[in-house]
Amino acid sequence: NIYPIPFDDQFRIDLNLSGTAKDLTIGMYNVTGEKVADLYSGNVSSTLFSQIWQAPPSLRSGVYLVKINYGGQELVRRVVKL
């Protein structure tokens, strides 16, 4: 889950992860595929992950993709910055 969408200055990511400790990376990309932010990169040992991400003032309004990689799987979610 990523909420609120659309967001103004921050959003929250809540993940329910399965399995044992694995590397988790979360990145934000613009619609042309350029990475605009690293949201998280590290090892997680819990099955529940939660993080609030504060958007920098330089992040423009628009549509972005949040890519979540965990345990060899990729999940992509669309977010909208007001």
Side-chain angles (χ1 to χ4, degrees):
N1 268 341
I2 299 176
Y3 58 92
I5 299 199
F7 72 97
D8 187 21
D9 60 347
Q10 69 181 17
F11 61 80
R12 181 181 179 120
I13 301 171
D14 289 330
L15 301 173
N16 188 358
L17 307 169
S18 62
T20 58
K22 295 182 182 148
D23 288 331
L24 171 66
T25 58
I26 305 173
M28 179 182 275
Y29 298 79
N30 62 23
V31 292
T32 64
E34 177 185 3
K35 185 183 267 190
V36 297
D38 285 313
L39 308 184
Y40 183 85
S41 181
N43 191 278
V44 290
S45 58
S46 173
T47 57
L48 298 176
F49 175 86
S50 183
Q51 178 177 333
I52 295 175
W53 184 73
Q54 183 71 40
S58 60
L59 187 68
R60 295 182 177 175
S61 297
V63 176
Y64 294 91
L65 301 175
V66 174
K67 293 185 180 181
I68 302 163
N69 291 291
Y70 178 75
Q73 297 181 349
E74 181 176 82
L75 178 66
V76 178
R77 292 289 183 254
R78 184 179 70 94
V79 297
V80 177
K81 165 85 165 75
L82 296 177

